[in-house]
């Protein structure tokens, strides 16, 4: 994640999001297979973070045959590695990235009441963490910042 200036990124939705994800994945040298397209479509349709098992169940339903959770995990990890999805660590769940063509760090605000996740781009905090980690000798730094509480609807 070399460029953290994401003030000009575009959020994608629907078919535009799937196309942006496909282009980003192919630009990294990976193939956009039918299975990957199905996993991404399901993940992008979710309103809350989804576990790999949830996604695997929905893929199985959509394809009419069982999808192995391990295969879905590998695809989701590939998506995270290529900025197509983010992993909400505390929930062991994933959400689609609405702007896969923009490298950035995210802060997740997680509601303990309804389970919703609000994604915020703010490099002021993650940039400081990157600096500290870099000075400690770390490379390939990916800050994961998650804040738990109650959203405005549940408060």
């Amino acid at each position: 994640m070399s460029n953290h200036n994401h003030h000009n990124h575009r959020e994608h939705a629907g078919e535009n999001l799937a196309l942006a994800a496909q282009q980003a994945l192919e630009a990294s040298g990976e193939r956009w297979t039918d299975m990957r397209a199905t996993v991404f479509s399901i993940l992008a349709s979710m309103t809350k973070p989804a576990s790999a098992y949830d996604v695997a169940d929905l893929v199985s339903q959509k394809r009419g045959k069982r999808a192995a959770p391990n295969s879905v995990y590998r695809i989701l990890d590939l998506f995270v590695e290529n900025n197509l999805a983010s992993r909400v660590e505390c929930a062991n769940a994933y959400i689609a990235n609405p702007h896969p063509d923009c490298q950035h760090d995210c802060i997740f605000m997680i509601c303990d009441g309804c389970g919703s996740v609000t994604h915020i781009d703010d490099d002021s905090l993650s940039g400081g963490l990157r600096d500290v980690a870099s000075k400690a000798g770390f490379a390939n730094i990916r800050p994961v910042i998650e804040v738990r509480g109650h959203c405005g609807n549940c408060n």
Side-chain angles (χ1 to χ4, degrees):
M1 292 189 188
S2 58
N3 181 7
H4 299 288
N5 181 6
H6 48 77
H7 298 287
N8 296 319
H9 69 262
R10 291 183 328 157
E11 283 206 12
H12 301 280
E15 291 300 317
N16 287 336
L17 176 56
L19 180 59
Q22 178 180 353
Q23 290 171 342
L25 191 64
E26 289 174 343
S28 73
E30 296 286 345
R31 292 181 45 231
W32 185 257
T33 64
D34 287 341
M35 179 66 162
R36 290 174 180 175
T38 301
V39 169
F40 188 82
S41 172
I42 287 169
L43 189 63
S45 72
M46 305 295 279
T47 58
K48 294 181 182 174
S51 72
Y53 288 101
D54 293 337
V55 174
D57 286 344
L58 292 169
V59 169
S60 296
Q61 291 173 22
K62 186 170 187 173
R63 293 173 60 107
K65 60 182 180 180
R66 185 180 178 279
N70 285 343
S71 296
V72 173
Y73 261 119
R74 282 192 297 275
I75 291 170
L76 291 169
D77 286 343
L78 176 72
F79 288 172
V80 169
E81 182 181 317
N82 286 279
N83 200 43
L84 308 184
S86 296
R87 183 166 183 235
V88 179
E89 302 286 338
C90 69
N92 194 25
Y94 300 83
I95 59 173
N97 181 354
H99 34 84
D101 45 0
C102 174
Q103 295 286 341
H104 64 282
D105 300 319
C106 301
I107 299 171
F108 295 112
M109 310 296 272
I110 304 158
C111 180
D112 290 328
C114 67
S116 67
V117 174
T118 302
H119 162 221
I120 297 171
D121 296 330
D122 185 345
D123 285 343
S124 62
L125 182 57
S126 61
L129 290 171
R130 283 180 170 285
D131 291 344
V132 168
S134 180
K135 287 176 185 169
F138 279 78
N140 299 322
I141 302 159
R142 184 180 73 90
V144 177
I145 304 168
E146 299 177 2
V147 178
R148 300 195 67 125
H150 285 89
C151 69
N153 291 332
C154 292
N155 193 5

